[in-house]
Each structure stands twice: as C-alpha cells, then as structure tokens.
Amino acid sequence: MRVIRVDERELTARLDGLAGLLADTVAGGDSVGFLAPLGHEEAAAWWRGRAADVAAGRLAVWVAREGERVTGTVSLALPDKPNSRHRAELVKLMVSREARGRGVGRGLLATAEEAAAAAGLTLLHLDTETGSPAEHLYRSAGWTRAGTIPDYAADPGGELRPTTLYFKRVGVPSAAG
C-alpha cells in the first residue's frame, strides 16, 4: 500500500478511482453522507467539487493505492477562522470493501494524524456512526469519545442513526513524556 497526499491536479487525475471508492463505501452501507444508491457520476461530481478546497488549502486529501487502484482515502478539513487554527476535522475515512482488514484504514489515520502534527495542529475531531466498525479503529488508535448525538444523520438506507464524536490531541508531548 502506498499513501500519497494529492493536490488538485492529482485529485482530478484519480477522480474515477475516488468515485468508485465512494460508491463502494455507500453500497456497503457505510454512513459517509450519502444515500443509496449512489451512482458513479454523482460520486465523481462530489469529488470534483472538493478540488477547489484542495487547491485553496482548506482540505487535505490522502489516497491509499495498491498499484494504480485506489483502496482508501482520508481528509482533513482545515479551519478558516483565527480562533480554530490549531485544530482540524478528520473527514471521509473510507476503505474499499475488498481492502478492509489489511491495515489501510489504520495507515490512513496515522498519516493524517502525523501530517496534522507536522503542520502544527494540536487537536483533531471527527464524528462517526455510533456502533460502526470505525468506532473500534478510532478507539484503538487512541481517540477519545466525547459523546453521542441521537438521530444525527441518515444511513445509506435512509434510517436516522446516532453519531459519536471523538477527538485526539496530536503534536503535543504526552503527560508521561
């Protein structure tokens, strides 16, 4: 597996693979903001819409590949307000169904955390569907549960589901260190 940070040009070049990953994620029942069925063109249009944020530095996107095939992605949504420049939101961590269980998600998560710390960020936050397999990943990677919001978002089938909020301090020495 190779993980690279993509710029606007590279995001556009990988549009087909990213769209396939997003459509696969939704088809697998994962709640990433879309209802099923999600067509390839709709998924590609969504990714195309992220290119301006990548170019402007508001969104950092990493892509995991096996050869030329996209197997996963993660992004950091970077703040634009002066009082929040120390933090970012981890968004759209996705791993293709056939690549799950091989460390792709953990590798993407570690990459985003390390990049955030290197950029001087000290706090990351995210939300994920309560009870999803992603919760195990976040907890095992040292993220702290902050709370749960009922009926937060519809899953791909349209059912309202709760979300759990998590945070993690990065780039700061631990109390033991």
Side-chain angles (χ1 to χ4, degrees):
M1 171 185 72
R2 183 170 176 227
V3 176
I4 60 166
R5 183 171 173 175
V6 297
D7 59 15
E8 178 186 16
R9 182 194 59 75
E10 184 74 14
L11 185 140
T12 302
R14 302 242 173 245
L15 202 57
D16 190 56
L18 287 165
L21 174 65
L22 177 54
D24 176 68
T25 301
V26 174
D30 296 318
S31 183
V32 290
F34 298 88
L35 299 176
L38 178 67
H40 190 83
E41 286 307 313
E42 184 181 354
W46 183 83
W47 275 111
R48 201 174 293 111
R50 307 289 73 80
D53 287 337
V54 169
R58 291 184 299 265
L59 184 69
V61 178
W62 290 268
V63 174
R65 302 180 326 194
E66 291 178 6
E68 290 302 308
R69 199 170 118 258
V70 173
T71 57
T73 188
V74 66
S75 299
L76 287 177
L78 303 165
D80 61 352
K81 295 174 189 70
N83 74 338
S84 58
R85 303 221 175 181
H86 64 289
R87 69 176 189 238
E89 181 179 9
L90 188 104
V91 295
K92 302 293 187 264
L93 175 60
M94 296 181 271
V95 176
S96 64
R97 287 183 282 177
E98 68 272 1
R100 291 182 185 170
R102 299 194 320 231
V104 176
R106 187 164 303 281
L108 285 163
L109 185 58
T111 296
E113 290 173 2
E114 290 163 12
L121 300 174
T122 58
L123 182 66
L124 297 177
H125 62 98
L126 63 83
D127 70 86
T128 192
E129 182 179 329
T130 304
S132 71
E135 278 199 283
H136 173 73
L137 171 63
Y138 299 130
R139 283 192 309 265
S140 69
W143 287 70
T144 301
R145 182 182 177 275
T148 300
I149 303 171
D151 297 336
Y152 186 77
D155 66 14
E159 181 180 340
L160 288 178
R161 305 278 304 157
T163 197
T164 301
L165 307 173
Y166 285 88
F167 70 91
K168 185 173 187 178
R169 293 190 182 279
V170 296
V172 293
S174 68

